[in-house]
Amino acid sequence: MIGFDYGTSNCAVGIMEGNNPKILPLGDHGRYISSTLYAPSRDVIVNWLCKHLPLSEQKNFQQQRQRQLQKGQAVLRELTLDGCPTELSFGQQALNNYLQEPDEGYYIKSPKSFLGASGLMPQQVELFEDIVAAMMSNIKMLTESALGRTVSQTVIGRPVNFQGLRGEESNQQALTILTNAAKRVGFKDVEFQFEPVAAGFEYEASLHKETRVLVVDIGGGTTDCSMLLMGPKQAASQDRTGDLLSHSGERIGGNDFDITFALKGIMPSFGMDTMLKTGKSMPTNSYWQAVAINNITHQTEFYSAANGRFLQQLIRDAEQPRLLRRLLTVQQQKLSYRVVNAAEQSKIALTDQIQQQVDLSDIDDGLTVDLDRDGFAKACKRELRAIAALMADAITQANCQPDVVFVTGGTAKSPILNQFLKQQFQHTPIVIGDHFGSVTAGLTRWARTIYS
């Protein structure tokens, strides 16, 4: 049995060793593998997956995906004739392959962000199920290699609300995709647990008395808050329903901070705040679409032929056409992830530094952008207000104040976030957990509880 944090930014797997959870090393990726996938063509994902499925699943899968498998086989033959790689890559290697040739292949980051999306067509749901299953298959193989045995039972973390507009319908869509993918790659027993609750279970192991804990999990895709009644007495129970006092969650996470930082910190160097020759302000819609990597509709519109023509007209109408040509380069060479990745890496660097220079000379010769902590704080005011509202909502629902605030999630590492949380809870102790490991550890503890 394992705890499986299939995260928006990273994935991790835990097992119990005695009374303590251990996060497993996943081959060369270390304990955390970035939630990314790169394929030489989108059409070959289904073929890679079929090849790596358990034998018991392959026949059914071949029948269900017959047309896609045939199309993928034809693409594989072309790739082989052209001397191109035919395998999928995951984690950091996936990002490296994308950055080498952004306009070739198929790259996806944080597919979890799309699972609850509204308006997905059946073929899109199938594609996401295949992508998730491929990533899960890779992680399952790495886990079994590390353990030297098969694993068939898992608890997978889930946000309070996935990133969709249809509430519980979006949640059920996402859970169905995750469940189907997990069962397909060989997990026989699949359960889910709220990510903030799982993080709370890990913190609970250190408590010696009954405590009201507000867990704030600021992850890559969502921010989730849970007010929990925790302590030694509660930890001994399998039924924790009465201890879960409230939940709140929304699609506000590290990806949103990165996107906002890219828009407000980097896009001015691509002409966003400039003027047209007519004296009017530059239209900003294409800039937002360019960085909205977690929105299928925006990305489709940005990369459409119609938008390419629109950008070329903007260049002719712009007072500073060279800056607009940079945005056209992003559009023509499919560099959205490149720009947002630059913002993300700068956000990470600003954890330890006050300023950071971004090299974007691959987009325009000599282009660099200077970013700093103050600019990050100003760019993310809306996201911070939304997180404050979520925490307040959880407290209101629970009808009590927390004795302690337990904070986890990679985004919470930012000094800007730390300062913000201290301002919100000036008279309540704040405990910072393992930013990346608390959820995995808690999922692992819960797996032992329910499967033992």
Side-chain angles (χ1 to χ4, degrees):
M1 65 189 74
I2 60 169
F4 187 177
D5 182 9
Y6 181 73
T8 304
S9 296
N10 298 285
C11 298
V13 169
I15 61 167
M16 290 301 294
E17 285 194 344
N19 290 321
N20 296 308
K22 174 187 176 182
I23 299 178
L24 290 177
L26 299 172
D28 296 336
H29 302 281
R31 298 198 306 162
Y32 306 101
I33 175 172
S34 298
S35 301
T36 53
L37 176 149
Y38 178 86
S41 167
R42 188 174 79 172
D43 295 315
V44 305
I45 295 173
V46 66
N47 299 75
W48 184 97
L49 178 60
C50 185
K51 184 173 68 174
H52 290 85
L53 287 179
L55 291 177
S56 59
E57 290 288 334
Q58 285 188 5
K59 186 174 181 180
N60 286 337
F61 187 74
Q62 287 168 353
Q63 292 174 343
Q64 294 170 1
R65 298 285 201 273
Q66 186 176 5
R67 289 183 61 189
Q68 295 99 315
L69 285 166
Q70 289 173 346
K71 185 177 182 181
Q73 199 62 46
V75 173
L76 284 170
R77 286 194 293 269
E78 291 180 14
L79 290 168
T80 301
L81 288 173
D82 292 339
C84 299
T86 58
E87 289 292 307
L88 307 190
S89 55
F90 305 89
Q92 184 61 42
Q93 188 58 49
L95 176 62
N96 294 343
N97 289 343
Y98 160 74
L99 292 176
Q100 285 175 9
E101 294 184 278
D103 55 346
E104 299 290 337
Y106 178 77
Y107 175 75
I108 186 165
K109 174 184 177 181
S110 309
K112 185 178 175 183
S113 298
F114 302 99
L115 303 187
S118 305
L120 291 183
M121 302 295 289
Q123 59 268 32
Q124 290 176 304
V125 172
E126 281 191 349
L127 173 63
F128 283 122
E129 190 174 301
D130 292 343
I131 289 170
V132 173
M135 294 173 70
M136 286 186 171
S137 176
N138 178 61
I139 290 169
K140 190 171 187 288
M141 287 188 289
L142 292 170
T143 299
E144 292 174 342
S145 176
L147 293 175
R149 62 179 185 271
T150 59
V151 293
S152 61
Q153 297 176 311
T154 185
V155 174
I156 301 174
R158 57 155 292 184
V160 173
N161 288 304
F162 285 86
Q163 301 181 10
L165 302 176
R166 297 170 298 162
E168 194 54 32
E169 186 180 348
S170 292
N171 289 337
Q172 288 306 313
Q173 174 181 286
L175 291 174
T176 299
I177 292 172
L178 290 169
T179 302
N180 289 346
K183 292 287 184 70
R184 178 159 283 152
V185 302
F187 288 109
K188 291 181 171 55
D189 298 314
V190 180
E191 298 290 341
F192 293 91
Q193 180 58 267
F194 288 131
E195 289 158 354
V197 174
F201 288 156
E202 174 61 9
Y203 176 62
E204 185 176 48
S206 67
L207 295 176
H208 301 289
K209 63 178 183 178
E210 185 173 285
T211 306
R212 292 188 301 272
V213 183
L214 176 63
V215 180
V216 181
D217 178 12
I218 308 174
T222 58
T223 293
D224 297 295
C225 303
S226 291
M227 183 77 83
L228 308 166
L229 188 63
M230 314 204 89
K233 176 183 175 183
Q234 287 78 12
S237 174
Q238 274 200 333
D239 183 6
R240 302 301 300 270
T241 307
D243 302 331
L244 309 183
L245 306 181
S246 67
H247 299 298
S248 65
E250 195 176 322
R251 198 214 72 177
I252 308 157
N255 282 352
D256 299 279
F257 283 90
D258 301 338
I259 288 167
T260 299
F261 200 21
L263 181 71
K264 298 183 179 179
I266 295 177
M267 280 300 157
S269 297
F270 290 64
M272 187 174 74
D273 296 332
T274 59
M275 305 294 289
L276 299 173
K277 292 175 182 176
T278 60
K280 293 182 178 180
S281 298
M282 183 65 61
T284 59
N285 196 45
S286 290
Y287 292 96
W288 174 248
Q289 292 173 342
V291 297
I293 59 171
N294 58 0
N295 188 299
I296 297 171
T297 302
H298 288 340
Q299 286 280 279
T300 300
E301 291 174 354
F302 179 69
Y303 287 111
S304 68
N307 190 52
R309 293 190 293 270
F310 173 70
L311 294 179
Q312 290 171 339
Q313 183 60 53
L314 277 185
I315 290 171
R316 291 190 287 270
D317 294 341
E319 281 190 348
Q320 300 182 56
R322 181 180 178 183
L323 301 188
L324 268 295
R325 290 192 189 100
R326 295 170 178 172
L327 184 62
L328 182 62
T329 298
V330 173
Q331 199 263 356
Q332 292 176 334
Q333 298 183 17
K334 298 182 180 178
L335 294 173
S336 287
Y337 284 106
R338 165 72 178 97
V339 174
V340 176
N341 182 67
E344 178 185 10
Q345 295 308 311
S346 297
K347 177 192 71 177
I348 294 169
L350 291 173
T351 300
D352 300 314
Q353 302 168 202
I354 302 297
Q355 294 180 317
Q356 173 72 6
Q357 187 175 82
V358 181
D359 182 1
L360 296 172
S361 55
D362 55 322
I363 296 176
D364 189 10
D365 187 40
L367 174 60
T368 61
V369 179
D370 293 321
L371 301 172
D372 57 42
R373 278 189 194 173
D374 286 343
F376 177 69
K378 291 175 182 176
C380 300
K381 283 183 178 180
R382 187 188 69 84
E383 286 74 15
L384 294 175
R385 286 196 299 268
I387 291 173
L390 287 173
M391 295 188 298
D393 184 30
I395 293 171
T396 300
Q397 287 183 48
N399 197 29
C400 63
Q401 291 293 319
D403 299 315
V404 63
V405 178
F406 179 69
V407 181
T408 188
T411 305
K413 288 188 72 175
S414 166
I416 300 299
L417 267 292
N418 285 328
Q419 182 182 358
F420 162 75
L421 290 169
K422 289 177 182 177
Q423 291 172 347
Q424 303 301 309
F425 298 100
Q426 298 182 21
H427 305 293
T428 305
I430 297 176
V431 175
I432 306 296
D434 182 337
H435 288 294
F436 297 105
S438 293
V439 170
T440 310
L443 293 171
T444 305
R445 290 184 184 275
W446 190 240
R448 181 179 66 174
T449 299
I450 65 173
Y451 290 130
S452 295

